[in-house]
Amino acid sequence: MQRERPELIPTHSGPAEGSDLRDREGLRLTVKRRGADPRGGGRNRSAMGKRKPPRHPLVGSLSKKQKKHLKEFGEAHPFYDKVSGREETTEICELSENSDHSSAESDGESEPEQVSVYHKLLATFKTVPDANNEEDDENESEESDEEESDEESQEGEDGDHTAGEEDENDVQDQKEAKDTAKQMLGQEQADGADTSSDPKHGAIEEFTDVKHESEFSLETNFMVEESGDYNADERESSSSVMVSEDPFKQHMNKELEEKEIGNNSARSKSTIQLKWPTLGQLVFSSSLQQPRTFKPDKEADLKRLHLHKTLESTWPKVNSQFLSTLTKQNNHPFTLLQKELFCIMNQYKDLFYPERTALGNGEEVRHAYCLHAVNHILKANAQVLSNNTKRRDQKPAIDDDDFRDQGLTRPKVLIVVPFRESALRVVQIFISLLESERKKQIDVSNKKRFKGEFGSDPDEKPPNLKRPEDYEAVFAGNIDDHFRIGVAVLQKSMRLYAPFYSSDIIIASPLGLRTIIGAEGEKKRDFDFLSSIEILIIDQADVYLMQNWEHILHLMNHLNLLPLESHGVDFSRVRMLNLNNWSKYYRQTLLFSALQDPQINSIFNKNCFNYRGQVAVRNVPSIGSISHVVVQLPHVFRRLEAESSISVIDARFQFFIDKVLPEYRDAIMSHTLIYIPSYFDYVRLRNYFKKEELNFTHICEYTKRSGISRARQFFLKGEKQFLIFTERFHFYKRYLIRGIRNLIFYELPTYPHFYSEVCNMLTATASGEEATWTCTVLYSKYDAQKLAAVVGVDRAAQMLQSKKNVHLFVTGENE
C-alpha cells in the first residue's frame, strides 16, 4: 500500500538574513534531548497522542507579516481534514511514472494539483531569497512542532500529576495560548510590527522587517518625480567633468588587468613614508604602482569632496559639536583630525588608525566613517535608480553593459562594532545625516523597536563603583556583544531590521557574524551576503582582542567570496569585477584601534588587497605608561630569548619556571601577584601550580563572584602566597586587588595603561613596607611594540639591543 505523503507546511526559510543561529541550535538540543528517551515523559506522550499526524497549518491567525511563522499557524486551525480523508487524490502521485524527475520532485509537483486551495494560500506569502529545499522546511517544521509540544505540555503543571490531569491541562493551555497569540498578533498588526523575534512568542528567528520589502527594493524603484531637486542633482553630478573627478566613480569604474591582479596577489608592495600635521607619521604602500606622495587638502570644501547633495547640508550641523568656535567662524566642517582621516577615506584607500580612544577622539572618528559610509551608499543607490529609469525608457537594441552598477548581493558596507551601544550611535548618526533642512524627519522603519533592543535601561545601571574614566567610556550603555542588524537606505528613507539580502549596510558584532557564518560542516550557515562588501569598517579593534579574536579572523576568511546561490540577482546589472571574483581588490578596509598590536597589524597587512593602496599611522610613543606609576617601585625587566614568535610561548613558560619562580618560592616573597595577558598561558600556569602543589589562588574572567571574593580575601590575609590574575578579568572588572607586595608581569600588558594601573595597586599598610616591594617584567624581542608603549621608544630600543636585564626605579610621577 502506498504511503500517503503529507503536504508541505509553509515555514520560515532559513537561515534568513540576520537570523540568530543560537535559537536554532537550542531547537536541535531540544530534539536530541527528547530522543535520549524514546518513550518520553507521560506529559509529552499524552500531548502527542492528541495530535493527528501530519500536522496542519493555521488559517485564521495567518498574516503577511508573520512570514509563515510555524509557531503562529502550526497549532490553531487545521484546515486539511477534507483533503486528508480522500484516498483517491493521493493516487495522482502515480503520474510520476511518466516523469523524468525524482520521486521527491514528482511529489512536489503533484501537490499543488491535489489541493488548489492550499496552492492559492502559498501564493499569498512572500518568498525569501535564501529559501532551503522543501525537505529541509518540512523537517524544520516537524522539529519546531516537537519543541512547541514540550513547551505547551509543561506550562502550568507539576511533574507528578496524573496523565488525565495533564491531558486536561494541555487542552486548556493550548486554548489559552491560542487566545493570547491572537490578541498579541492583533496588537502587532495594529502597530505594524513583526512578531518573529519577540521572546513572548517563543520564536526561533530574529526579527527582520519584510513589510517594506517592495518600498526599499532597488530593482523596482526609480527616481521619484516629486523630488525634482534630487533629479536635478543627479543630472548635474552625471556630467562628464563631475564623473571624472568623483572618487566613487573613479574607484568603482577602474578596470584592472590580469597582470595588476597578479601583482597584487603576490603581495609585492612599494612603500613610502609621509608626515601629516595631525596624523603624524604615515606609511603608504601599494602593489600596483610606485606610491605617490599625497597631502591633505588645506581647505575642506564639501563640494570638492564630492559629497552627496543631502550630506552637504546636514554634515556641518551634525558635526558642529566637535568644532571649535574659530573653526565654525571659518566655515570648516571638519576637525583637523577628521579632515585628514576623511581625505584618506574619500580616496578609497585602506586605513589603519591605531590612536582611536574612547575618552578622546572616538566620537570624532565614528562621525567621519559614518559620513563616508552614507556618502557611498547614497551614490551607489542613486546610480542604480538612475539606471533603472534609463532601462525603463530605453529601446530594446541598446546594450545593457552600460548599466552594470551592482554586486552579486546588495550589502555594500559592513560595520563591525563591539557592543549594541556602538551600533545605536552609528544608526543615530545615519539618521542625523539624512535629515535635511527641508525635511526634518526622515521615515525610519522600526525605529521604536530598535531603540528598545539597542538602547539601555536606566534602571539597570550598575552600582556606583569607582572605575577609571576609560572603563566608563568603553562600557557605557548596552554592552551586549551578540547582535546584527541590516539597514536599507533608499533616497530619503531608512529601513532598520532589513533582511541581509535587502540591506545596504550591515552593522554587527564579531559574535553576531560568527553565529550566522557558521563553521564548515554545519547545515545552517550563510555568508553569501558578504560577497560584495565594498567598504569594511572595523571599529574598536582592540576590544576584540579581549572578546575573541578568532571571530575576526573567521570573518576575514569569508569576505568577498563567490556566493553559493544567485539570490535573485540580475546578472546583466552585475559589475565585471564581481563576476571575475575581484571584489576583494576593490574593497576598502578602515581599521580603528586604541593601540598597535601584532594581531591587528597582521589583519591589515595580510587581508587588505585594495588596489588603491594601504595607509597606516605609525607614530611611536616617546613617553611610556611607566611614567604614570605613582608609587616608589623598582622595575626589573628580564629578557628571554626565542627563535620565533611561535616558540616564544614555550620559551617564556620555561624561563618563568626555571629562573623566575624559584626566587619567589620562599615564604618571605608572599603576596605575589602574577599578571597574565593570555588565557592559555593562565591555564598552563595554573595547572603547573596545582601539579607542584604551590600555595596559590587564581582569578580569571570566568570566575564566579563568590570565587573572586574568596580569592581576594585569601590573598589579602596572606593565606595564599600567589594570585594568578588574567588581563581579560582586569579589562572587564577593574577590581582593586589589595595586599600586593610582589608583582610579576608574565608578559607585557596589551593595553599600556594597564601597566601603571596594576603597579598603582600597591599600597603601603605599614611604615617602611615600600622597601620590600618588587616588580618583575618578562619580555622578548617580539614584544617591541608593547615594550615601547610601556617604557618609551628610545629606552625600548636600548633594551632590545642589549641582552642584559634592565633595572628601572620610578619615584612619584617621573622616572
Side-chain angles (χ1 to χ4, degrees):
M1 181 177 179
Q2 187 175 0
R3 182 180 179 182
E4 181 180 359
R5 174 185 172 93
E7 290 186 340
L8 297 179
I9 302 175
T11 65
H12 191 290
S13 60
E17 296 81 1
S19 62
D20 190 344
L21 298 188
R22 291 192 307 181
D23 293 340
R24 291 183 176 275
E25 193 66 26
L27 176 60
R28 296 193 197 103
L29 290 174
T30 302
V31 175
K32 291 178 181 178
R33 184 168 60 250
R34 293 188 56 196
D37 183 4
R39 297 172 300 171
R43 207 164 37 224
N44 294 337
R45 290 199 304 271
S46 63
M48 294 178 65
K50 289 179 173 295
R51 195 171 288 113
K52 294 182 180 180
R55 297 287 306 276
H56 311 307
L58 291 177
V59 174
S61 62
L62 286 178
S63 69
K64 294 181 180 179
K65 300 176 185 176
Q66 291 179 284
K67 303 190 309 181
K68 303 170 289 182
H69 197 287
L70 185 60
K71 287 195 174 233
E72 293 299 318
F73 63 83
E75 286 288 340
H77 301 291
F79 74 110
Y80 185 117
D81 299 334
K82 296 181 180 179
V83 177
S84 60
R86 285 185 285 176
E87 297 182 358
E88 61 274 5
T89 57
T90 60
E91 296 178 358
I92 299 178
C93 296
E94 297 178 359
L95 293 176
S96 60
E97 297 178 357
N98 298 328
S99 174
D100 295 333
H101 300 288
S102 64
S103 60
E105 292 174 347
S106 301
D107 291 339
E109 292 173 357
S110 63
E111 285 174 0
E113 297 177 0
Q114 297 174 30
V115 189
S116 58
V117 177
Y118 183 67
H119 183 236
K120 293 179 181 179
L121 176 64
L122 289 179
T124 63
F125 295 106
K126 294 182 179 178
T127 59
V128 181
D130 62 339
N132 290 337
N133 54 50
E134 294 178 346
E135 184 178 353
D136 292 342
D137 288 344
E138 186 174 5
N139 294 335
E140 181 180 333
S141 65
E142 292 174 358
E143 292 176 354
S144 300
D145 289 341
E146 291 175 0
E147 183 179 10
E148 185 179 7
S149 173
D150 288 343
E151 293 175 355
E152 290 179 351
S153 63
Q154 293 175 3
E155 230 178 349
E157 301 179 17
D158 293 328
D160 55 353
H161 278 188
T162 61
E165 292 174 344
E166 290 165 356
D167 292 348
E168 294 176 1
N169 288 336
D170 285 341
V171 173
Q172 183 177 1
D173 288 343
Q174 286 183 0
K175 291 181 180 180
E176 293 177 356
K178 292 174 186 177
D179 296 339
T180 305
K182 290 181 180 180
Q183 294 176 2
M184 297 188 69
L185 176 61
Q187 181 66 29
E188 293 288 351
Q189 289 176 339
D191 296 338
D194 198 313
T195 63
S196 58
S197 74
D198 194 339
K200 296 179 181 179
H201 293 75
I204 62 172
E205 295 290 348
E206 69 183 33
F207 173 73
T208 53
D209 175 28
V210 186
K211 175 183 177 182
H212 303 86
E213 188 71 23
S214 60
E215 179 183 348
F216 284 85
S217 173
L218 285 179
E219 291 78 11
T220 59
N221 280 278
F222 307 92
M223 287 295 183
V224 292
E225 297 180 358
E226 56 266 20
S227 58
D229 56 338
Y230 193 89
N231 285 329
D233 295 336
E234 181 64 20
R235 288 193 297 269
E236 180 183 356
S237 63
S238 62
S239 63
S240 59
V241 177
M242 296 294 288
V243 169
S244 62
E245 296 179 356
D246 188 354
F248 169 78
K249 296 291 182 66
Q250 289 179 350
H251 178 63
M252 302 306 299
N253 293 342
K254 169 74 174 179
E255 296 183 2
L256 297 178
E257 300 178 356
E258 292 280 355
K259 181 180 179 181
E260 295 174 322
I261 295 296
N263 293 338
N264 201 328
S265 301
R267 311 299 292 170
S268 55
K269 293 185 178 182
S270 302
T271 302
I272 62 172
Q273 293 188 356
L274 307 173
K275 189 172 182 61
W276 284 17
T278 304
L279 290 179
Q281 196 71 29
L282 307 181
V283 177
F284 176 38
S285 58
S286 177
S287 59
L288 296 187
Q289 57 186 0
Q290 183 64 30
R292 297 180 181 180
T293 301
F294 66 101
K295 298 180 180 180
D297 298 330
K298 295 182 178 180
E299 296 183 3
D301 186 3
L302 294 180
K303 292 186 177 180
R304 293 184 60 184
L305 293 175
H306 298 275
L307 291 180
H308 191 272
K309 188 68 174 179
T310 302
L311 302 178
E312 289 183 6
S313 59
T314 59
W315 171 250
K317 182 179 179 181
V318 173
N319 199 50
S320 61
Q321 57 181 313
F322 306 109
L323 302 178
S324 62
T325 304
L326 180 61
T327 306
K328 292 180 180 179
Q329 293 176 354
N330 296 332
N331 294 325
H332 291 304
F334 295 93
T335 64
L336 296 178
L337 174 62
Q338 288 175 334
K339 183 179 71 172
E340 296 187 4
L341 288 176
F342 191 78
C343 178
I344 300 173
M345 296 180 197
N346 202 37
Q347 295 184 32
Y348 283 89
K349 292 178 171 60
D350 292 341
L351 171 64
F352 175 34
Y353 180 66
E355 300 176 10
R356 181 228 190 269
T357 59
L359 271 178
N361 55 21
E363 291 305 313
E364 287 184 57
V365 173
R366 198 195 311 274
H367 277 68
Y369 72 66
C370 285
L371 172 66
H372 180 58
V374 174
N375 186 47
H376 181 85
I377 292 300
L378 291 178
K379 288 182 177 181
N381 288 352
Q383 184 182 26
V384 173
L385 297 181
S386 177
N387 287 340
N388 286 350
T389 306
K390 294 177 182 178
R391 281 168 58 94
R392 180 186 60 184
D393 302 335
Q394 74 170 357
K395 297 180 180 179
I398 298 180
D399 189 4
D400 284 345
D401 283 344
D402 296 334
F403 302 125
R404 294 191 177 274
D405 50 17
Q406 302 176 21
L408 291 167
T409 52
R410 179 170 173 178
K412 309 173 189 65
V413 177
L414 174 62
I415 302 178
V416 183
V417 290
F419 305 117
R420 284 182 181 261
E421 174 67 19
S422 305
L424 175 66
R425 296 184 185 184
V426 168
V427 172
Q428 288 175 342
I429 296 173
F430 287 167
I431 295 174
S432 301
L433 289 173
L434 295 174
E435 288 181 345
S436 60
E437 295 180 357
R438 298 181 181 179
K439 188 177 182 181
K440 294 294 183 182
Q441 296 290 334
I442 65 169
D443 296 329
V444 181
S445 305
N446 308 305
K447 186 176 181 180
K448 182 178 180 180
R449 186 186 190 102
F450 174 75
K451 288 185 176 180
E453 294 183 0
F454 284 77
S456 58
D457 188 354
D459 298 333
E460 296 180 359
K461 287 187 176 181
N464 295 326
L465 300 176
K466 187 177 181 181
R467 295 288 184 268
E469 292 182 352
D470 67 291
Y471 178 89
E472 299 292 347
V474 171
F475 294 100
N478 190 335
I479 58 172
D480 178 34
D481 63 350
H482 185 219
F483 62 90
R484 51 184 176 265
I485 183 173
V487 180
V489 179
L490 194 63
Q491 304 195 63
K492 296 183 179 180
S493 299
M494 179 182 294
R495 175 191 184 197
L496 302 176
Y497 296 99
F500 275 10
Y501 292 96
S502 301
S503 302
D504 297 303
I505 304 173
I506 295 174
I507 307 172
S509 65
L511 178 60
L513 291 171
R514 179 64 177 81
T515 52
I516 191 173
I517 293 175
E520 187 175 356
E522 293 183 4
K523 184 178 180 181
K524 301 295 184 181
R525 60 183 310 213
D526 183 17
F527 50 86
D528 286 355
F529 59 89
L530 301 173
S531 62
S532 299
I533 295 296
E534 297 166 1
I535 297 179
L536 169 65
I537 301 173
I538 302 179
D539 195 12
Q540 296 177 265
D542 54 286
V543 178
Y544 310 137
L545 295 173
M546 299 294 111
Q547 293 179 344
N548 193 334
W549 188 252
E550 292 295 328
H551 295 336
I552 296 293
L553 300 178
H554 194 71
L555 166 65
M556 301 304 294
N557 292 334
H558 289 83
L559 278 173
N560 299 117
L561 302 178
L562 286 177
L564 302 178
E565 300 178 11
S566 62
H567 300 284
V569 66
D570 181 0
F571 287 97
S572 66
R573 300 288 296 273
V574 178
R575 296 187 182 94
M576 293 305 300
L577 67 94
N578 298 99
L579 296 177
N580 291 332
N581 196 21
W582 291 353
S583 301
K584 66 179 181 179
Y585 302 109
Y586 288 79
R587 186 193 75 229
Q588 181 187 29
T589 303
L590 305 177
L591 189 58
F592 303 100
S593 172
L595 51 89
Q596 296 195 39
D597 186 86
Q599 297 182 83
I600 302 177
N601 293 337
S602 176
I603 287 290
F604 190 72
N605 295 331
K606 296 181 179 180
N607 296 89
C608 296
F609 304 91
N610 188 356
Y611 78 90
R612 287 267 180 169
Q614 290 76 37
V615 179
V617 179
R618 300 296 186 189
N619 295 319
V620 292
S622 58
I623 301 177
S625 62
I626 195 172
S627 61
H628 299 140
V629 177
V630 297
V631 297
Q632 296 183 3
L633 182 66
H635 303 259
V636 180
F637 289 82
R638 306 186 64 170
R639 175 167 176 164
L640 59 96
E641 300 298 331
E643 296 180 355
S644 66
S645 58
I646 298 177
S647 63
V648 73
I649 299 175
D650 294 330
R652 178 179 288 108
F653 176 75
Q654 203 63 36
F655 183 87
F656 177 80
I657 63 176
D658 291 343
K659 297 184 178 181
V660 178
L661 186 59
E663 301 175 1
Y664 290 85
R665 282 179 177 265
D666 196 298
I668 300 176
M669 306 297 291
S670 62
H671 296 273
T672 300
L673 175 71
I674 305 176
Y675 181 96
I676 305 180
S678 171
Y679 180 76
F680 300 104
D681 290 335
Y682 160 80
V683 173
R684 187 177 189 179
L685 208 60
R686 181 195 64 190
N687 294 341
Y688 176 81
F689 274 45
K690 287 182 178 179
K691 180 181 178 182
E692 295 294 320
E693 297 182 350
L694 296 178
N695 184 22
F696 81 104
T697 185
H698 53 90
I699 298 176
C700 71
E701 55 272 21
Y702 304 112
T703 306
K704 296 182 179 180
R705 183 174 298 179
S706 58
I708 296 172
S709 300
R710 286 195 300 268
R712 295 173 68 189
Q713 193 69 14
F714 290 156
F715 184 72
L716 175 62
K717 293 182 178 180
E719 298 179 13
K720 300 294 183 181
Q721 182 177 354
F722 296 97
L723 172 59
I724 304 177
F725 183 83
T726 64
E727 182 176 68
R728 289 179 66 186
F729 173 80
H730 183 66
F731 175 79
Y732 284 107
K733 300 298 183 181
R734 302 291 181 91
Y735 285 176
L736 176 63
I737 306 299
R738 301 183 184 276
I740 304 174
R741 296 178 187 173
N742 304 289
L743 186 58
I744 300 176
F745 285 93
Y746 187 81
E747 185 180 355
L748 285 163
T750 303
Y751 287 90
H753 64 277
F754 282 3
Y755 184 87
S756 57
E757 283 186 8
V758 175
C759 289
N760 290 331
M761 289 183 185
L762 278 73
T763 56
T765 58
S767 61
E769 188 178 357
E770 299 93 333
T772 63
W773 289 347
T774 64
C775 177
T776 303
V777 184
L778 277 60
Y779 75 97
S780 71
K781 63 181 180 180
Y782 301 103
D783 299 323
Q785 288 181 334
K786 295 180 180 179
L787 185 63
V790 171
V791 301
V793 64
D794 295 334
R795 180 168 286 141
Q798 298 174 3
M799 294 169 63
L800 292 173
Q801 291 176 0
S802 174
K803 294 186 178 181
K804 297 181 181 180
N805 295 335
V806 179
H807 297 258
L808 300 177
F809 190 78
V810 178
T811 58
E813 292 283 349
N814 301 311
E815 298 181 50

